[in-house]
Amino acid sequence: MTVATTDPAQEGARLLHHYMTTGDMTGFTPEQELLVMGEMCRRLGLDAHALPFLVLETKESRDRDGKITTPKRRVLYPKKECAEQLRTKRGISFQRRPEFEIERVQDEGWLVSCFAYARTADGREDCDVGSVFVKY
């Protein structure tokens, strides 16, 4: 990717705009990827020195006919450090509850679901569920 500007802040913002609109950093140099990460951290108020993001390369997906359905991309992946910083910065706490469900799926395995409960500093609450299929 060619760069027309020399101001790092302006270049970082331009590269972040490209990434946010395409979801892809393929073709970026390592320096440009760092600028995108730095700009993302700046906008979210994160400490970039804690390395809250990784750059991952996704695999392409193909359908049965061999056509590419999802191209290979380079994306930012938020690590645990990112979640911890955002949770602290925004005053979000989690409640641990020993709630889970196990459901038998015919004679193939089990669907195990667990629940996460969160609360913001101002008292708003949310709940979400995550499930995984365990084959036997």
Side-chain angles (χ1 to χ4, degrees):
M1 170 172 271
T2 57
V3 178
T5 65
T6 55
D7 177 23
Q10 191 176 20
E11 181 182 357
R14 186 183 65 75
L15 292 169
L16 181 62
H17 179 266
H18 173 81
Y19 174 67
M20 297 300 290
T21 56
T22 65
D24 189 12
M25 293 191 297
T26 300
F28 283 24
T29 66
E31 293 81 12
Q32 290 173 325
E33 289 177 353
L34 284 174
L35 283 172
V36 170
M37 281 190 256
E39 184 64 19
M40 184 72 84
C41 288
R42 187 187 70 75
R43 290 183 181 207
L44 293 173
L46 301 177
D47 176 11
H49 297 287
L51 304 174
F53 297 101
L54 286 175
V55 176
L56 294 182
E57 191 168 291
T58 65
K59 294 181 180 181
E60 67 182 28
S61 299
R62 296 178 178 264
D63 63 14
R64 290 183 178 169
D65 297 327
K67 291 184 180 179
I68 296 174
T69 56
T70 307
K72 182 167 59 170
R73 298 181 306 155
R74 291 184 63 81
V75 298
L76 284 180
Y77 178 79
K79 297 177 2 185
K80 182 179 180 182
E81 292 80 3
C82 181
E84 289 171 350
Q85 286 187 53
L86 288 172
R87 194 169 57 237
T88 301
K89 181 178 178 63
R90 298 188 178 162
I92 297 172
S93 62
F94 287 96
Q95 298 174 340
R96 291 184 185 257
R97 296 184 187 171
E99 294 180 32
F100 61 92
E101 292 178 1
I102 299 176
E103 179 182 336
R104 187 171 180 182
V105 180
Q106 298 175 355
D107 289 331
E108 298 179 21
W110 303 94
L111 184 64
V112 181
S113 302
C114 60
F115 304 88
Y117 299 90
R119 173 180 275 162
T120 60
D122 63 1
R124 291 182 298 152
E125 296 181 351
D126 195 10
C127 174
D128 207 349
V129 63
S131 300
V132 64
F133 178 74
V134 180
K135 189 174 183 177
Y136 54 75

